[in-house]
Amino acid sequence: MRIGRRSVLEGFAAGSSVTILGTGTILGSGLGSRAFAQAAGPAEASQIDVAKAKAEGKVVLYTSLDTKIVDAVIAPFKEKYGINVEYFRGGASDVASKVLAEADAGRAEVDMVDASDLAALLLMKDRKLLKPFKSDASGAIAANLRDPDGTWITDRLTQAVIQYNTREFGANPPKSWADLGGSPWKGRLVFFSSATGDGAPRIYTLAKHLGWDLVKALAATKPLRVQSPQVLTQVLERGERGAGFLQNDNIAWRSKEQGKPTDYLFPAEGVPTELGACGLLARSSRPHAAALFFEWWMSPQGQAILVEGGKYSSRTDVAPPTGSPPLSKLKLLTLDPVEYKKDRAKILDQMTAIFGGEWGS
Amino acid sequence: MRGALPAGGPFGVVPAPEARVRRFGLEGLVLGVAVILLLLLVGYPLLWLILAAFGLPPEFGIEYFVRVFTRSQNYDALINTLQLALGTGAVSVAIGVPLAWATARTDMRLRNVVHALVALSYITPPYLTALAYIILFGPDAGQFNRVLRMFIEVDSGPVNIFTMGGIIFVIGIHVFAFTYFLTYSALRSVDSSLEESAQILGTRRWRITLSVTLPLVAPAITGGALLAAIDSLALFGPQAIIGTPAQIVFLPTRIYATIGSYPPRWAEASALSLVLVVLTVIGLAVQRGYLERRSYVTVGGRGGRTTRISLGAWRWPLLLFCLAVVFFSAVAPIGVLVLTAFSKSWADPPSLSNFTLAHFATALFHDQVSVRSIVNSTKLATMAAAVALVIGASVAYLDLRTSVRGRRLLDYLAVLPLGLPGTVMAVGILLAFLRSPIPIYGTIWILLVAYVARFVPLATRSANATFRQVDASLEEAGRITGASWWVAVRRILFPLARPGLLVAFLLVFIPSFSELSATILLYGSGTETIAIAIYRLNDLGQIEVVSALAVFTIAVVLVLSALVNLLSNATSEPRAQV
């Protein structure tokens, strides 16, 4: 019942042709596709009608991806099809709560959802908000990184790294999570989470695999909390703090690429990985346009744009970002999204108890 | 609670003139529609808020209230919110009263400048002041801190805005305007003869001020401090922008988080909202009590005259204090936003090589969300002001020119939202329209609903004051000579009331243009407003673009407020505040 680290790795190493232990995963908890009402529009990529898509005119996307990357993915699509993509960008919780609130309201504003919190998509699936769709990308994505019912598919993997200021630690950078837990780091650390708990999954992953004591030790250094990875990197670039824990790898990568005085590392003890996933909304009033964009988003070309922005693609046929190690070389720590979905309220309470402040619990 | 500060407090009710004739037809239709709109916009969401807090539907229960008080994060939020209110109330007295005394009763130089700058600190949206203070007093990169560190040997700070004290300060320098203006008005109308009597009896000047003047205006001071405290309870922006990184939770941010986290917890948010409403209502009731006690004071007598006190040697220290206050409340925050907006990097000191116009170009022309937000805010503020004006004018008309039963209640309903935090209004509206067959959730119309509901009191009060100045006999004369009701209203009332109605329009437009606390819960893709663009871009750390957008917003608000002032001075009714 979990997406194990090994299965993720094997998925990458072996591609999709190999069936892996643990792929049943979410299958067991999810509903069979028969349980879904017959959704309107295309059920698989080959059924997308481009003419209808153009007639539908636009796609509304809710996403938690960095706006710079989203803009870059949308531009060629808009140019090719003349279909506009309007998007709402917020943290994963913002995205999820908006989709769920709209569902409560019986509204169908959104056509496609993308969030770096798989548990959120599982919750949407439970509520029958997502539409089963057989993407052409399925063949290139490990079976355990997509829903057997086709309601969601992983599009990216975000690794939580240690980012640090090279002026402060050029000669002697931190090496491990355990390193950061000590008293010399008091007042020198920074981490991020929105007030709605977006930082919680990775902290929980770290605690699950390496122990709550480590997390408590990090909290004991009185780390500065900022609202997003984008602000975290700025705090380090300006030297306000020395090191950031559980930073998004793509943001750390970009900072380094841009020649800012930062560097980052994937600690050998293990790197929490966060699955970003996307899906189509069952009640979408623009099913063809949405599916067309979905397929572009998941295509090798679309995914290549994510990679240019520093993201690791879920596709086995798309290389990692320039200069980044292949995921198979990393010890990935994963989160069981089913468990996280179930225990989320409790976990957020724990975060509040350990770090204080607002976690949306 | 921005806009004109009414003499009677937000719930100040004015006595109705003698009963008037009841009419139907077109009159009934126009007024009826306005009334229905008001009930739908204000009454209906409130009803849902109360229902949801008690678990309805599906079943009645008080478990959510129990939950509110048994969970430490809610309890902490309540305590922090009360601390904040007490703190800002105290700050507002500590700086508002000396300033009011200096500008109202002394011959201090630059008192007009000080007065205008207090108004400026009040009209600057407080979330922008909060952003500015992060740039100024962020513990490490803060501009003022870096200057201070040249003299003081510390690694970080010495001032850290991300503390309870920091939040009280930032909100305090916004809400002290309430205390300032109420005290100022009271001091201006104190009859100096009492003070002179004391002086003849040989009492020293400072003792006169402390033991004669201040007690006379004490109810105004207390009333102002309470309004300041109530307003700070309800603010969302500074509490979120500074409170979240500071790890300090308040009720409005808590309410936002219970809905913004998934799945949205409507009932808990409603229960929290009602707690906030209760705090506000208690505060307003006490405040009203205090202001009514003004009756024993000599103020208000037309025959009294007020003399200015010659400060002598004290003029310089007092001026220095006043200038320091307005420097921190208006000059520094707005100044740093302007500097940042023109800087390539805000963390670098301002210089010619660091100068750029690129952020304004981004904010006003290039960034999709930012450009759309300006269009949306302009559209929304215009529509909200127009609708609120129609409703407000109708309610005022019913109140002053008819004897329709229930018009008192209607008047009350139209003023009620002044006491309701934006976050609370938003929760009510969400609940109401999530379940309503009117499909406006996620559209721009739900924001229109929120703005009209929130700011209709400003239009109602303003229209009321305006109609009061136009004698009903003029319209009646028109009716007697054969004009229909509509003709009488259009040809006689409206032309005479036009400047006042324009003020009413602007008083709604201005806060709608920069509204944050309700919008944050109600906006969707494509309906981002300026406040949302600022909030979201700040989340992504794009401080320079945020500053450009902030400077633009302040400029718009400032120009329109100046217009309000101009129009208000042109009419005989003094509406001095803005």
Side-chain angles (χ1 to χ4, degrees), chain A residues 60-62 66-68 71 85-94 96-98 100-102 104-107 109 117 119-120 123 127 188 191 193-197 223-228 230-231 234 238 240-241 340 344-345 348-349 352 355-361, chain B residues 67 71-74 138-142 156 162 241 244-250 253-266 268 346-347 368-369 372 430 433-436 439-443 520-526 528 536 538-543:
Chain A
V60 177
L61 166 74
Y62 289 5
D66 191 275
T67 49
K68 287 181 183 133
D71 288 335
V85 181
E86 286 175 9
Y87 67 86
F88 162 82
R89 195 270 160 202
S93 303
D94 293 325
S97 72
K98 268 224 164 352
L100 294 167
E102 276 181 21
D104 285 348
R107 297 279 302 167
E109 274 303 303
D117 181 354
L123 189 63
R127 298 208 179 165
R188 295 309 301 154
F191 75 117
S193 177
S194 70
T196 46
L224 172 71
R225 175 175 168 184
V226 295
Q227 63 269 44
S228 69
Q230 290 85 351
V231 175
Q234 292 180 356
R238 290 196 297 265
E240 287 178 49
R241 287 293 182 276
Y340 188 77
R344 184 169 184 272
L348 292 182
D349 275 345
T352 312
F355 289 97
E358 182 59 83
W359 290 81
S361 70
Chain B
R67 203 172 145 78
R71 305 188 75 215
S72 65
Q73 45 272 68
N74 291 337
D140 299 284
S156 167
F162 296 111
I241 289 168
T244 305
Q247 303 273 61
I248 303 173
V249 183
F250 299 95
T253 47
R254 198 61 214 130
I255 292 168
Y256 167 69
T258 51
I259 293 184
S261 190
Y262 72 89
R265 302 196 300 277
W266 303 112
E268 194 177 338
W346 72 270
Q368 264 193 46
V369 173
R372 193 162 62 208
L430 264 176
F433 289 95
L434 275 177
R435 297 177 167 101
S436 116
I440 60 167
Y441 177 79
T443 68
I520 189 87
L521 284 167
L522 298 172
Y523 82 102
S525 70
E528 299 90 348
R536 287 292 173 198
N538 177 57
D539 265 357
L540 297 177
Q542 298 182 29
I543 302 288

Side-chain angles (χ1 to χ4, degrees), chain A residues 177 180-181 189 206 213-223 245 355:
Chain A
W177 300 114
L180 295 182
L189 295 183
L206 197 67
D213 285 345
L214 169 63
V215 170
K216 284 176 186 156
L218 289 172
T221 67
K222 298 259 174 256
F245 59 88
F355 289 97

Side-chain angles (χ1 to χ4, degrees), chain A residues 268-314:
Chain A
E269 300 135 292
V271 184
T273 186
E274 222 163 67
L275 304 187
C278 54
L280 292 167
L281 273 291
R283 296 187 51 169
S284 161
S285 55
R286 296 170 283 264
H288 288 277
L292 190 65
F293 182 67
F294 187 87
E295 285 302 278
W296 162 248
W297 181 276
M298 291 308 303
S299 70
Q301 298 84 348
Q303 287 285 300
I305 300 174
L306 262 69
V307 174
E308 278 164 33
K311 287 285 181 192
Y312 280 89
S313 169
S314 58

Side-chain angles (χ1 to χ4, degrees), chain A residues 4-23:
Chain A
R5 172 175 71 86
R6 179 166 306 167
S7 56
V8 172
L9 297 186
E10 284 173 11
F12 277 92
S16 61
S17 58
V18 183
T19 320
I20 317 151
L21 187 78
T23 38

Side-chain angles (χ1 to χ4, degrees), chain B residues 526-551:
Chain B
T527 65
E528 299 90 348
T529 64
I530 288 183
I532 295 301
I534 289 174
Y535 191 83
R536 287 292 173 198
L537 287 171
N538 177 57
D539 265 357
L540 297 177
Q542 298 182 29
I543 302 288
E544 296 86 359
V545 183
V546 163
S547 299
L549 207 46
V551 169

Side-chain angles (χ1 to χ4, degrees), chain B residues 403-433:
Chain B
S403 56
V404 176
R405 215 179 297 172
R407 63 193 202 292
R408 270 282 96 78
L409 186 71
L410 203 64
D411 190 51
Y412 187 78
L413 199 60
V415 185
L416 185 65
L418 267 191
L420 294 175
T423 319
V424 170
M425 292 287 282
V427 174
I429 288 168
L430 264 176
L431 290 164
F433 289 95

